[in-house]
Amino acid sequence: MKNFINSDDISDYKKIVEEAIQLKSNPNELKDIGKNKSIGLLFFNPSLRTRISTQKASMILGLKTFVMNFNSEGWQLEFENNTIMSEDKAEHVKDAAKVLSEYCDIIAIRKFADLNNKIDDEKEIVLSSFLKYSTVPILNLESSTFHPLQGLADAITIDETKNKARPKIVLSWAPHPKSLPHAVSNSFIKMAKKNNFELIISNPIGYDLNPEITKGINIIHDQKEAFINADFIYAKNWSSYENYGKVLINDSSWKIDKNKMSLTNNAKFMHCLPVRRNVVVDDDVIDSENSLVISQAENRIYSALIILKKLIENER
Ligand code: CP
């Protein structure tokens, strides 16, 4: 694997999930794979799980990590070419990417959508610039449009838990006071398609996601109807895609609660975290024995581990 930008970089998704689950039983087998190599983790946005799980996976592989909070610790980057850099931006991305490629064997980047301009966000200017100018593999730690390591961890978690080959999974919009990106939901949808799960998306009118990504998926605007006989409920908020980045409603009737969970087939509850308790989901759902949120977070280690292994070995 040359880079890991989204799940399409994986040639056989089901196989990689199986490999990741196998690695869990004996990760120490991998301790020399990253020996004498290093990874640079560049964060343009906050993180708990992505930052620590990627460092933990690197540690297992013997890979040294450099972590930089780019907004507060790095020079402000210029992304346009042929500009006269006489204002605030002190370093061009082409220089930064080439320099970092001398120090690191892999460059990993987190840069969320700004949610101001759909066209700009979909250009993925930060990730695509590092892809263009770096001479080492690039790993996406959540970009404007995709969070593929989260999608892979979710696939591992579902595979470990499901009790039928083709479970019914509902990706349900849930309320949130802030404007949130689409990356987690987009990656979850792509992952569910690759695994041929029965996926239903449930969201209020006005919140349909990018139709190119949801193509072929049943979208139901009645949350209770969607929940009937579901095996997994995956809760996530996202801002409007059509009315880009806007919070159109903050309707608490979409919160995940016990009554709605009782409509399901004793469904497991999933969320990528961080989560606003009692806004997105009630405590008695997320703290129930059906909640998989901690397993999902744990599996972030193994999604990072298998992808770092593939990047180091340049193997699909
Ligand atoms: N799920 C996830 O990516 O968590 P962080 O934002 O804390 O990394």
Side-chain angles (χ1 to χ4, degrees), residues 242-272:
E242 190 184 348
N243 208 331
Y244 191 68
K246 297 282 181 296
V247 177
L248 307 177
I249 56 161
N250 187 10
D251 183 352
S252 62
S253 73
W254 279 76
K255 181 177 61 169
I256 314 297
D257 63 20
K258 258 172 95 169
N259 286 339
K260 284 177 208 157
M261 291 302 285
S262 71
L263 300 169
T264 69
N265 181 26
N266 194 26
K268 303 292 185 193
F269 173 79
M270 300 181 75
H271 190 283
C272 63

PDB file of all heavy atoms in Angstrom, residues 242-272:
ATOM      1  N   GLU A 242     -26.270  19.472   1.930  1.00  0.00           N
ATOM      2  CA  GLU A 242     -26.876  20.306   0.890  1.00  0.00           C
ATOM      3  C   GLU A 242     -26.724  21.794   1.245  1.00  0.00           C
ATOM      4  O   GLU A 242     -26.287  22.609   0.432  1.00  0.00           O
ATOM      5  CB  GLU A 242     -28.356  19.928   0.782  1.00  0.00           C
ATOM      6  CG  GLU A 242     -29.062  20.534  -0.398  1.00  0.00           C
ATOM      7  CD  GLU A 242     -30.548  20.198  -0.374  1.00  0.00           C
ATOM      8  OE1 GLU A 242     -30.978  19.341   0.407  1.00  0.00           O
ATOM      9  OE2 GLU A 242     -31.274  20.829  -1.155  1.00  0.00           O
ATOM     10  N   ASN A 243     -27.077  22.134   2.485  1.00  0.00           N
ATOM     11  CA  ASN A 243     -26.957  23.504   2.995  1.00  0.00           C
ATOM     12  C   ASN A 243     -25.642  23.521   3.770  1.00  0.00           C
ATOM     13  O   ASN A 243     -25.607  23.552   4.997  1.00  0.00           O
ATOM     14  CB  ASN A 243     -28.144  23.775   3.918  1.00  0.00           C
ATOM     15  CG  ASN A 243     -28.506  25.220   3.959  1.00  0.00           C
ATOM     16  OD1 ASN A 243     -27.654  26.084   3.777  1.00  0.00           O
ATOM     17  ND2 ASN A 243     -29.760  25.497   4.220  1.00  0.00           N
ATOM     18  N   TYR A 244     -24.546  23.490   3.054  1.00  0.00           N
ATOM     19  CA  TYR A 244     -23.262  22.958   3.528  1.00  0.00           C
ATOM     20  C   TYR A 244     -22.797  23.541   4.876  1.00  0.00           C
ATOM     21  O   TYR A 244     -22.643  24.757   5.036  1.00  0.00           O
ATOM     22  CB  TYR A 244     -22.175  23.186   2.474  1.00  0.00           C
ATOM     23  CG  TYR A 244     -20.906  22.418   2.801  1.00  0.00           C
ATOM     24  CD1 TYR A 244     -20.893  21.034   2.743  1.00  0.00           C
ATOM     25  CD2 TYR A 244     -19.753  23.069   3.202  1.00  0.00           C
ATOM     26  CE1 TYR A 244     -19.762  20.312   3.078  1.00  0.00           C
ATOM     27  CE2 TYR A 244     -18.611  22.354   3.532  1.00  0.00           C
ATOM     28  CZ  TYR A 244     -18.629  20.973   3.465  1.00  0.00           C
ATOM     29  OH  TYR A 244     -17.508  20.260   3.809  1.00  0.00           O
ATOM     30  N   GLY A 245     -22.591  22.606   5.825  1.00  0.00           N
ATOM     31  CA  GLY A 245     -22.013  22.967   7.122  1.00  0.00           C
ATOM     32  C   GLY A 245     -22.993  23.576   8.104  1.00  0.00           C
ATOM     33  O   GLY A 245     -22.613  23.910   9.232  1.00  0.00           O
ATOM     34  N   LYS A 246     -24.252  23.711   7.715  1.00  0.00           N
ATOM     35  CA  LYS A 246     -25.233  24.383   8.582  1.00  0.00           C
ATOM     36  C   LYS A 246     -25.888  23.392   9.563  1.00  0.00           C
ATOM     37  O   LYS A 246     -26.105  22.233   9.229  1.00  0.00           O
ATOM     38  CB  LYS A 246     -26.339  25.039   7.738  1.00  0.00           C
ATOM     39  CG  LYS A 246     -25.833  26.137   6.817  1.00  0.00           C
ATOM     40  CD  LYS A 246     -25.580  27.432   7.584  1.00  0.00           C
ATOM     41  CE  LYS A 246     -25.108  28.573   6.721  1.00  0.00           C
ATOM     42  NZ  LYS A 246     -23.827  28.425   6.064  1.00  0.00           N
ATOM     43  N   VAL A 247     -26.183  23.900  10.776  1.00  0.00           N
ATOM     44  CA  VAL A 247     -27.023  23.163  11.723  1.00  0.00           C
ATOM     45  C   VAL A 247     -28.442  23.655  11.490  1.00  0.00           C
ATOM     46  O   VAL A 247     -28.782  24.786  11.821  1.00  0.00           O
ATOM     47  CB  VAL A 247     -26.588  23.427  13.188  1.00  0.00           C
ATOM     48  CG1 VAL A 247     -27.515  22.725  14.169  1.00  0.00           C
ATOM     49  CG2 VAL A 247     -25.149  22.968  13.409  1.00  0.00           C
ATOM     50  N   LEU A 248     -29.278  22.806  10.868  1.00  0.00           N
ATOM     51  CA  LEU A 248     -30.627  23.230  10.489  1.00  0.00           C
ATOM     52  C   LEU A 248     -31.600  23.072  11.644  1.00  0.00           C
ATOM     53  O   LEU A 248     -32.499  23.883  11.832  1.00  0.00           O
ATOM     54  CB  LEU A 248     -31.130  22.407   9.292  1.00  0.00           C
ATOM     55  CG  LEU A 248     -30.222  22.366   8.054  1.00  0.00           C
ATOM     56  CD1 LEU A 248     -30.822  21.456   7.002  1.00  0.00           C
ATOM     57  CD2 LEU A 248     -30.026  23.772   7.496  1.00  0.00           C
ATOM     58  N   ILE A 249     -31.412  21.966  12.387  1.00  0.00           N
ATOM     59  CA  ILE A 249     -32.261  21.732  13.564  1.00  0.00           C
ATOM     60  C   ILE A 249     -31.382  21.132  14.657  1.00  0.00           C
ATOM     61  O   ILE A 249     -30.323  20.574  14.372  1.00  0.00           O
ATOM     62  CB  ILE A 249     -33.415  20.742  13.291  1.00  0.00           C
ATOM     63  CG1 ILE A 249     -32.878  19.405  12.750  1.00  0.00           C
ATOM     64  CG2 ILE A 249     -34.466  21.328  12.390  1.00  0.00           C
ATOM     65  CD1 ILE A 249     -33.854  18.256  12.879  1.00  0.00           C
ATOM     66  N   ASN A 250     -31.812  21.256  15.897  1.00  0.00           N
ATOM     67  CA  ASN A 250     -31.129  20.556  16.991  1.00  0.00           C
ATOM     68  C   ASN A 250     -32.235  19.857  17.781  1.00  0.00           C
ATOM     69  O   ASN A 250     -32.543  20.224  18.907  1.00  0.00           O
ATOM     70  CB  ASN A 250     -30.353  21.572  17.837  1.00  0.00           C
ATOM     71  CG  ASN A 250     -29.490  20.887  18.869  1.00  0.00           C
ATOM     72  OD1 ASN A 250     -29.328  19.662  18.838  1.00  0.00           O
ATOM     73  ND2 ASN A 250     -28.962  21.649  19.797  1.00  0.00           N
ATOM     74  N   ASP A 251     -32.849  18.873  17.109  1.00  0.00           N
ATOM     75  CA  ASP A 251     -34.088  18.273  17.596  1.00  0.00           C
ATOM     76  C   ASP A 251     -33.780  17.117  18.545  1.00  0.00           C
ATOM     77  O   ASP A 251     -33.343  16.049  18.122  1.00  0.00           O
ATOM     78  CB  ASP A 251     -34.875  17.787  16.357  1.00  0.00           C
ATOM     79  CG  ASP A 251     -36.207  17.204  16.726  1.00  0.00           C
ATOM     80  OD1 ASP A 251     -36.476  17.038  17.930  1.00  0.00           O
ATOM     81  OD2 ASP A 251     -36.981  16.896  15.797  1.00  0.00           O
ATOM     82  N   SER A 252     -34.030  17.333  19.836  1.00  0.00           N
ATOM     83  CA  SER A 252     -33.672  16.311  20.835  1.00  0.00           C
ATOM     84  C   SER A 252     -34.495  15.033  20.659  1.00  0.00           C
ATOM     85  O   SER A 252     -34.139  13.999  21.220  1.00  0.00           O
ATOM     86  CB  SER A 252     -33.835  16.863  22.247  1.00  0.00           C
ATOM     87  OG  SER A 252     -35.179  17.210  22.456  1.00  0.00           O
ATOM     88  N   SER A 253     -35.549  15.073  19.862  1.00  0.00           N
ATOM     89  CA  SER A 253     -36.322  13.844  19.651  1.00  0.00           C
ATOM     90  C   SER A 253     -35.519  12.817  18.843  1.00  0.00           C
ATOM     91  O   SER A 253     -35.900  11.657  18.768  1.00  0.00           O
ATOM     92  CB  SER A 253     -37.647  14.151  18.951  1.00  0.00           C
ATOM     93  OG  SER A 253     -37.425  14.469  17.602  1.00  0.00           O
ATOM     94  N   TRP A 254     -34.377  13.235  18.259  1.00  0.00           N
ATOM     95  CA  TRP A 254     -33.520  12.289  17.529  1.00  0.00           C
ATOM     96  C   TRP A 254     -32.441  11.659  18.420  1.00  0.00           C
ATOM     97  O   TRP A 254     -31.646  10.830  17.968  1.00  0.00           O
ATOM     98  CB  TRP A 254     -32.865  12.970  16.319  1.00  0.00           C
ATOM     99  CG  TRP A 254     -33.785  13.036  15.140  1.00  0.00           C
ATOM    100  CD1 TRP A 254     -34.832  13.882  14.959  1.00  0.00           C
ATOM    101  CD2 TRP A 254     -33.760  12.183  13.979  1.00  0.00           C
ATOM    102  NE1 TRP A 254     -35.457  13.618  13.762  1.00  0.00           N
ATOM    103  CE2 TRP A 254     -34.821  12.582  13.135  1.00  0.00           C
ATOM    104  CE3 TRP A 254     -32.944  11.135  13.563  1.00  0.00           C
ATOM    105  CZ2 TRP A 254     -35.091  11.966  11.911  1.00  0.00           C
ATOM    106  CZ3 TRP A 254     -33.202  10.514  12.350  1.00  0.00           C
ATOM    107  CH2 TRP A 254     -34.270  10.926  11.537  1.00  0.00           C
ATOM    108  N   LYS A 255     -32.395  12.055  19.695  1.00  0.00           N
ATOM    109  CA  LYS A 255     -31.423  11.455  20.636  1.00  0.00           C
ATOM    110  C   LYS A 255     -31.680   9.945  20.740  1.00  0.00           C
ATOM    111  O   LYS A 255     -32.819   9.504  20.690  1.00  0.00           O
ATOM    112  CB  LYS A 255     -31.600  12.123  22.009  1.00  0.00           C
ATOM    113  CG  LYS A 255     -30.652  11.611  23.058  1.00  0.00           C
ATOM    114  CD  LYS A 255     -30.842  12.367  24.367  1.00  0.00           C
ATOM    115  CE  LYS A 255     -32.241  12.204  24.911  1.00  0.00           C
ATOM    116  NZ  LYS A 255     -32.395  12.687  26.295  1.00  0.00           N
ATOM    117  N   ILE A 256     -30.609   9.159  20.916  1.00  0.00           N
ATOM    118  CA  ILE A 256     -30.777   7.704  21.035  1.00  0.00           C
ATOM    119  C   ILE A 256     -31.118   7.392  22.498  1.00  0.00           C
ATOM    120  O   ILE A 256     -30.333   7.715  23.403  1.00  0.00           O
ATOM    121  CB  ILE A 256     -29.483   6.950  20.627  1.00  0.00           C
ATOM    122  CG1 ILE A 256     -28.885   7.493  19.322  1.00  0.00           C
ATOM    123  CG2 ILE A 256     -29.749   5.442  20.554  1.00  0.00           C
ATOM    124  CD1 ILE A 256     -29.714   7.353  18.089  1.00  0.00           C
ATOM    125  N   ASP A 257     -32.265   6.758  22.700  1.00  0.00           N
ATOM    126  CA  ASP A 257     -32.684   6.411  24.065  1.00  0.00           C
ATOM    127  C   ASP A 257     -33.147   4.945  24.128  1.00  0.00           C
ATOM    128  O   ASP A 257     -33.202   4.253  23.108  1.00  0.00           O
ATOM    129  CB  ASP A 257     -33.761   7.378  24.569  1.00  0.00           C
ATOM    130  CG  ASP A 257     -35.048   7.320  23.729  1.00  0.00           C
ATOM    131  OD1 ASP A 257     -35.258   6.312  23.022  1.00  0.00           O
ATOM    132  OD2 ASP A 257     -35.822   8.283  23.781  1.00  0.00           O
ATOM    133  N   LYS A 258     -33.461   4.530  25.349  1.00  0.00           N
ATOM    134  CA  LYS A 258     -33.828   3.123  25.575  1.00  0.00           C
ATOM    135  C   LYS A 258     -35.092   2.719  24.808  1.00  0.00           C
ATOM    136  O   LYS A 258     -35.193   1.608  24.304  1.00  0.00           O
ATOM    137  CB  LYS A 258     -34.072   2.899  27.078  1.00  0.00           C
ATOM    138  CG  LYS A 258     -32.908   2.222  27.765  1.00  0.00           C
ATOM    139  CD  LYS A 258     -33.101   2.193  29.246  1.00  0.00           C
ATOM    140  CE  LYS A 258     -33.713   0.921  29.742  1.00  0.00           C
ATOM    141  NZ  LYS A 258     -33.646   0.834  31.226  1.00  0.00           N
ATOM    142  N   ASN A 259     -36.032   3.638  24.732  1.00  0.00           N
ATOM    143  CA  ASN A 259     -37.288   3.312  24.030  1.00  0.00           C
ATOM    144  C   ASN A 259     -37.031   2.972  22.574  1.00  0.00           C
ATOM    145  O   ASN A 259     -37.577   2.012  22.036  1.00  0.00           O
ATOM    146  CB  ASN A 259     -38.277   4.479  24.127  1.00  0.00           C
ATOM    147  CG  ASN A 259     -38.869   4.568  25.512  1.00  0.00           C
ATOM    148  OD1 ASN A 259     -38.863   3.584  26.253  1.00  0.00           O
ATOM    149  ND2 ASN A 259     -39.354   5.738  25.866  1.00  0.00           N
ATOM    150  N   LYS A 260     -36.177   3.777  21.946  1.00  0.00           N
ATOM    151  CA  LYS A 260     -35.879   3.497  20.532  1.00  0.00           C
ATOM    152  C   LYS A 260     -35.068   2.207  20.407  1.00  0.00           C
ATOM    153  O   LYS A 260     -35.298   1.415  19.486  1.00  0.00           O
ATOM    154  CB  LYS A 260     -35.105   4.663  19.919  1.00  0.00           C
ATOM    155  CG  LYS A 260     -35.980   5.833  19.614  1.00  0.00           C
ATOM    156  CD  LYS A 260     -35.158   6.974  19.069  1.00  0.00           C
ATOM    157  CE  LYS A 260     -35.840   8.273  19.410  1.00  0.00           C
ATOM    158  NZ  LYS A 260     -34.919   9.394  19.410  1.00  0.00           N
ATOM    159  N   MET A 261     -34.129   1.992  21.332  1.00  0.00           N
ATOM    160  CA  MET A 261     -33.318   0.757  21.270  1.00  0.00           C
ATOM    161  C   MET A 261     -34.211  -0.473  21.444  1.00  0.00           C
ATOM    162  O   MET A 261     -33.901  -1.546  20.929  1.00  0.00           O
ATOM    163  CB  MET A 261     -32.213   0.778  22.334  1.00  0.00           C
ATOM    164  CG  MET A 261     -31.110   1.800  22.091  1.00  0.00           C
ATOM    165  SD  MET A 261     -30.222   1.629  20.530  1.00  0.00           S
ATOM    166  CE  MET A 261     -29.173   0.211  20.852  1.00  0.00           C
ATOM    167  N   SER A 262     -35.357  -0.308  22.160  1.00  0.00           N
ATOM    168  CA  SER A 262     -36.245  -1.464  22.378  1.00  0.00           C
ATOM    169  C   SER A 262     -36.964  -1.884  21.084  1.00  0.00           C
ATOM    170  O   SER A 262     -37.553  -2.961  21.020  1.00  0.00           O
ATOM    171  CB  SER A 262     -37.268  -1.147  23.479  1.00  0.00           C
ATOM    172  OG  SER A 262     -38.205  -0.213  22.990  1.00  0.00           O
ATOM    173  N   LEU A 263     -36.909  -1.043  20.057  1.00  0.00           N
ATOM    174  CA  LEU A 263     -37.511  -1.409  18.765  1.00  0.00           C
ATOM    175  C   LEU A 263     -36.607  -2.346  17.957  1.00  0.00           C
ATOM    176  O   LEU A 263     -37.022  -2.931  16.966  1.00  0.00           O
ATOM    177  CB  LEU A 263     -37.752  -0.144  17.919  1.00  0.00           C
ATOM    178  CG  LEU A 263     -38.685   0.913  18.510  1.00  0.00           C
ATOM    179  CD1 LEU A 263     -38.615   2.206  17.702  1.00  0.00           C
ATOM    180  CD2 LEU A 263     -40.118   0.376  18.543  1.00  0.00           C
ATOM    181  N   THR A 264     -35.355  -2.443  18.376  1.00  0.00           N
ATOM    182  CA  THR A 264     -34.338  -3.167  17.598  1.00  0.00           C
ATOM    183  C   THR A 264     -34.308  -4.645  17.975  1.00  0.00           C
ATOM    184  O   THR A 264     -34.983  -5.079  18.909  1.00  0.00           O
ATOM    185  CB  THR A 264     -32.937  -2.573  17.858  1.00  0.00           C
ATOM    186  OG1 THR A 264     -32.551  -2.886  19.208  1.00  0.00           O
ATOM    187  CG2 THR A 264     -32.907  -1.062  17.655  1.00  0.00           C
ATOM    188  N   ASN A 265     -33.457  -5.369  17.267  1.00  0.00           N
ATOM    189  CA  ASN A 265     -33.208  -6.776  17.575  1.00  0.00           C
ATOM    190  C   ASN A 265     -32.110  -6.843  18.649  1.00  0.00           C
ATOM    191  O   ASN A 265     -31.026  -7.362  18.414  1.00  0.00           O
ATOM    192  CB  ASN A 265     -32.786  -7.486  16.284  1.00  0.00           C
ATOM    193  CG  ASN A 265     -32.527  -8.966  16.488  1.00  0.00           C
ATOM    194  OD1 ASN A 265     -33.078  -9.583  17.398  1.00  0.00           O
ATOM    195  ND2 ASN A 265     -31.653  -9.524  15.652  1.00  0.00           N
ATOM    196  N   ASN A 266     -32.402  -6.255  19.822  1.00  0.00           N
ATOM    197  CA  ASN A 266     -31.398  -6.198  20.909  1.00  0.00           C
ATOM    198  C   ASN A 266     -30.068  -5.652  20.361  1.00  0.00           C
ATOM    199  O   ASN A 266     -29.000  -6.217  20.593  1.00  0.00           O
ATOM    200  CB  ASN A 266     -31.211  -7.587  21.524  1.00  0.00           C
ATOM    201  CG  ASN A 266     -30.471  -7.530  22.850  1.00  0.00           C
ATOM    202  OD1 ASN A 266     -30.512  -6.521  23.545  1.00  0.00           O
ATOM    203  ND2 ASN A 266     -29.759  -8.605  23.179  1.00  0.00           N
ATOM    204  N   ALA A 267     -30.164  -4.550  19.628  1.00  0.00           N
ATOM    205  CA  ALA A 267     -29.005  -4.052  18.862  1.00  0.00           C
ATOM    206  C   ALA A 267     -27.856  -3.602  19.752  1.00  0.00           C
ATOM    207  O   ALA A 267     -28.049  -3.119  20.873  1.00  0.00           O
ATOM    208  CB  ALA A 267     -29.449  -2.872  17.993  1.00  0.00           C
ATOM    209  N   LYS A 268     -26.672  -3.738  19.191  1.00  0.00           N
ATOM    210  CA  LYS A 268     -25.466  -3.156  19.785  1.00  0.00           C
ATOM    211  C   LYS A 268     -25.457  -1.663  19.450  1.00  0.00           C
ATOM    212  O   LYS A 268     -25.894  -1.262  18.360  1.00  0.00           O
ATOM    213  CB  LYS A 268     -24.211  -3.810  19.209  1.00  0.00           C
ATOM    214  CG  LYS A 268     -24.169  -5.321  19.381  1.00  0.00           C
ATOM    215  CD  LYS A 268     -24.012  -5.703  20.823  1.00  0.00           C
ATOM    216  CE  LYS A 268     -23.844  -7.207  20.973  1.00  0.00           C
ATOM    217  NZ  LYS A 268     -23.984  -7.634  22.371  1.00  0.00           N
ATOM    218  N   PHE A 269     -24.926  -0.884  20.380  1.00  0.00           N
ATOM    219  CA  PHE A 269     -24.838   0.557  20.165  1.00  0.00           C
ATOM    220  C   PHE A 269     -23.395   0.952  19.844  1.00  0.00           C
ATOM    221  O   PHE A 269     -22.465   0.523  20.533  1.00  0.00           O
ATOM    222  CB  PHE A 269     -25.301   1.322  21.425  1.00  0.00           C
ATOM    223  CG  PHE A 269     -25.068   2.805  21.282  1.00  0.00           C
ATOM    224  CD1 PHE A 269     -25.952   3.586  20.535  1.00  0.00           C
ATOM    225  CD2 PHE A 269     -23.950   3.401  21.842  1.00  0.00           C
ATOM    226  CE1 PHE A 269     -25.713   4.941  20.365  1.00  0.00           C
ATOM    227  CE2 PHE A 269     -23.710   4.761  21.672  1.00  0.00           C
ATOM    228  CZ  PHE A 269     -24.592   5.532  20.937  1.00  0.00           C
ATOM    229  N   MET A 270     -23.224   1.758  18.803  1.00  0.00           N
ATOM    230  CA  MET A 270     -21.876   2.181  18.403  1.00  0.00           C
ATOM    231  C   MET A 270     -21.803   3.708  18.255  1.00  0.00           C
ATOM    232  O   MET A 270     -22.767   4.351  17.855  1.00  0.00           O
ATOM    233  CB  MET A 270     -21.477   1.528  17.068  1.00  0.00           C
ATOM    234  CG  MET A 270     -21.456   0.008  17.110  1.00  0.00           C
ATOM    235  SD  MET A 270     -20.963  -0.744  15.539  1.00  0.00           S
ATOM    236  CE  MET A 270     -19.189  -0.453  15.524  1.00  0.00           C
ATOM    237  N   HIS A 271     -20.636   4.236  18.587  1.00  0.00           N
ATOM    238  CA  HIS A 271     -20.325   5.661  18.347  1.00  0.00           C
ATOM    239  C   HIS A 271     -18.804   5.769  18.339  1.00  0.00           C
ATOM    240  O   HIS A 271     -18.115   5.104  19.119  1.00  0.00           O
ATOM    241  CB  HIS A 271     -20.920   6.556  19.444  1.00  0.00           C
ATOM    242  CG  HIS A 271     -20.827   8.015  19.117  1.00  0.00           C
ATOM    243  ND1 HIS A 271     -19.648   8.727  19.248  1.00  0.00           N
ATOM    244  CD2 HIS A 271     -21.752   8.888  18.651  1.00  0.00           C
ATOM    245  CE1 HIS A 271     -19.863   9.978  18.872  1.00  0.00           C
ATOM    246  NE2 HIS A 271     -21.126  10.104  18.495  1.00  0.00           N
ATOM    247  N   CYS A 272     -18.268   6.638  17.472  1.00  0.00           N
ATOM    248  CA  CYS A 272     -16.808   6.716  17.324  1.00  0.00           C
ATOM    249  C   CYS A 272     -16.129   7.433  18.487  1.00  0.00           C
ATOM    250  O   CYS A 272     -14.923   7.308  18.657  1.00  0.00           O
ATOM    251  CB  CYS A 272     -16.459   7.401  16.010  1.00  0.00           C
ATOM    252  SG  CYS A 272     -17.043   9.115  15.950  1.00  0.00           S
TER     253      CYS A 272
END
